[in-house]
């Protein structure tokens, strides 16, 4: 069977001329376990430097919003729990 570029059994000439380079493993292949661990921690630090950290004002705002939300949810669950408790007392005596 053939296609537009040539036979399946006979690959194109340009495919034969391509040389495949053997990889040596990059940075990992050259270092021992301690070197790889040091590289890992250096990469962590590099990624943390890219993070956009919130300002003190943003952090205060976000913390306040979370605390208010948690307090509201605690109140809601308490009210629902108390309602179920009273309903169970009414039904079962």
């Amino acid at each position: 069977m053939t296609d537009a570029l040539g036979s399946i059994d006979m690959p194109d000439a340009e495919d034969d001329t391509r040389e495949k380079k053997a990889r040596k493993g990059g940075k990992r292949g050259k270092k021992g376990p301690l070197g790889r661990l040091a590289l890992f921690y250096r990469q962590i630090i590099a990624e943390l430097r890219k993070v956009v950290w919130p300002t003190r004002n943003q952090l205060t705002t976000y913390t306040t919003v979370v605390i208010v939300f948690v307090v509201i949810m605690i109140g809601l669950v308490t009210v629902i729990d108390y309602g179920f408790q009273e309903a169970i007392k009414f039904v079962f005596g």
Side-chain angles (χ1 to χ4, degrees), residues 2 9-11 14 24 29-30 38 44-45 51 56 59-61 74 78 85 91:
T2 62
D9 296 331
M10 302 281 296
E14 63 184 84
K24 296 280 184 175
K30 298 177 184 175
I44 289 174
I45 298 299
V51 173
R56 182 175 295 274
L59 188 62
T60 304
T61 303
I74 288 171
T78 301
Q85 178 183 353
V91 171

Side-chain angles (χ1 to χ4, degrees), residues 25-54:
K27 294 179 181 177
R28 286 189 207 154
K30 298 177 184 175
K31 298 182 179 181
L34 292 178
R36 289 194 307 249
L37 188 63
L39 174 65
F40 177 70
Y41 283 114
R42 282 195 307 269
Q43 289 174 344
I44 289 174
I45 298 299
E47 288 297 322
L48 286 175
R49 286 187 180 135
K50 296 177 188 178
V51 173
V52 179
W53 296 100

Side-chain angles (χ1 to χ4, degrees), residues 5-87:
L5 296 176
S7 172
I8 293 175
D9 296 331
M10 302 281 296
D12 294 335
E14 63 184 84
D15 289 340
D16 292 337
T17 59
R18 275 192 277 171
E19 296 178 12
K20 293 184 180 180
K21 295 181 180 180
R23 291 189 164 188
K24 296 280 184 175
K27 294 179 181 177
R28 286 189 207 154
K30 298 177 184 175
K31 298 182 179 181
L34 292 178
R36 289 194 307 249
L37 188 63
L39 174 65
F40 177 70
Y41 283 114
R42 282 195 307 269
Q43 289 174 344
I44 289 174
I45 298 299
E47 288 297 322
L48 286 175
R49 286 187 180 135
K50 296 177 188 178
V51 173
V52 179
W53 296 100
T55 63
R56 182 175 295 274
N57 189 24
Q58 290 173 331
L59 188 62
T60 304
T61 303
Y62 298 155
T63 303
T64 304
V65 167
V66 168
I67 289 173
V68 167
F69 177 76
V70 168
V71 167
I72 289 172
M73 292 308 295
I74 288 171
L76 181 65
V77 169
T78 301
V79 168
I80 292 172
D81 185 50
Y82 181 74
F84 281 135
Q85 178 183 353
E86 292 299 318

